[in-house]
Amino acid sequence: MSGSNSSNPGSGGSARRAEAATAEPLSFAVHSLPAPTLPSAAVRHGRLKMLLVLLVCAAPVIASYFTYYIIRPQGRTNHGALVQPQRPLPTAAELPLSDLEGAGVAPSSLKGQWLLVAVAGGACDALCERQLYLQRQLRESLGKHKDRLDRVWLIDDGAAPRPELMPALQGATVLRAPAQALDRWLAAGDGQGLAAHFYLVDPLGNYMMRFPAPSEPDRIKRDLEKLMRAAASWDEPGR
């Protein structure tokens, strides 16, 4: 009969789909992440050149301090006491300075020169007068290096300097500073008080050596000359 020879359309479609699924299994595509990009040769070369320039600029400063502090630690015969660690110039808030007219002076303005510092009251007793005289003589004794050293007198009270002292202070920097602030920075630490010493500050603003005063001028001079020679490659006169 005609009915027995006809096929079922639904069952045929299902069979074909099953065959297709069996023949072509489902696959997934996996994409790898992009490889990190390394700096180009030109970039690496530029960075290396920049580091070399920085090293060249810093080398003289490093070398002078290395020579003075490291290479000759045992053989050194310095008269002054090295301050370790060095003490940088305080900020204006920590060390308020003013000139004799009362105008404020920023401590940072003192950088750029070696500073030989004396501390005393404005009345300036006999020890103070000897210090100021010795301070002037030491600077003059440095000859061609003298323009790299400034004389500084820090007055730690409100007394006015006597008029007869002023001619000897020509070329010196005279400033007022609170005694307690000076003591925190310079810290003589030997029970003699701040007026009993000279204090040496390098051109970078670091308090780095203390001399007993009054002292032996020739021994102080030798220390100053050694420091000037060690720093000659990077330190120039004037700020």
Side-chain angles (χ1 to χ4, degrees):
M1 290 189 300
S2 59
S4 61
N5 295 330
S6 62
S7 61
N8 188 336
S11 60
S14 299
R16 285 192 296 274
R17 286 194 296 273
E19 291 174 0
T22 303
E24 299 180 6
L26 184 64
S27 62
F28 296 91
V30 179
H31 299 280
S32 61
L33 295 173
T37 302
L38 296 175
S40 67
V43 171
R44 291 195 298 271
H45 184 66
R47 290 176 180 171
L48 181 60
K49 287 179 65 177
M50 181 178 67
L51 288 173
L52 289 175
V53 169
L54 291 175
L55 285 174
V56 169
C57 293
V61 180
I62 296 171
S64 63
Y65 275 85
F66 183 80
T67 299
Y68 193 80
Y69 289 109
I70 306 300
I71 293 179
R72 300 178 296 169
Q74 301 302 324
R76 192 172 61 235
T77 57
N78 52 283
H79 179 54
L82 290 172
V83 177
Q84 296 177 330
Q86 296 174 358
R87 295 168 174 254
L89 268 168
T91 64
E94 296 166 333
L95 182 65
L97 300 175
S98 60
D99 61 22
L100 295 180
E101 285 70 45
V105 176
S108 59
S109 67
L110 299 175
K111 291 183 180 181
Q113 288 279 81
W114 291 92
L115 307 177
L116 188 60
V117 180
V119 179
C124 197
D125 59 14
L127 173 61
C128 167
E129 287 193 38
R130 171 157 174 74
Q131 277 185 282
L132 297 182
Y133 170 79
L134 181 57
Q135 191 184 46
R136 184 173 66 254
Q137 295 302 106
L138 284 168
R139 181 180 181 275
E140 293 300 316
S141 72
L142 293 176
K144 66 180 183 179
H145 296 302
K146 70 178 183 179
D147 290 334
R148 294 164 56 195
L149 179 75
D150 279 358
R151 296 179 290 143
V152 179
W153 177 20
L154 297 179
I155 299 175
D156 61 357
D157 60 18
R162 290 180 279 116
E164 56 267 30
L165 290 175
M166 301 315 292
L169 294 172
Q170 292 295 320
T173 300
V174 183
L175 300 170
R176 294 189 188 279
Q180 290 184 342
L182 285 174
D183 191 56
R184 283 193 296 269
W185 177 39
L186 299 174
D190 57 2
Q192 296 187 54
L194 296 181
H197 301 84
F198 283 127
Y199 306 90
L200 187 66
V201 179
D202 71 19
L204 302 180
N206 297 309
Y207 160 43
M208 47 79 66
M209 186 173 280
R210 180 176 64 246
F211 300 101
S215 187
E216 300 175 49
D218 288 342
R219 298 183 69 185
I220 297 178
K221 177 188 173 184
R222 284 197 293 271
D223 280 0
L224 293 176
E225 287 176 335
K226 285 191 291 186
L227 284 166
M228 296 295 154
R229 287 196 299 269
S233 61
W234 58 271
D235 173 43
E236 297 180 358
R239 291 187 170 85

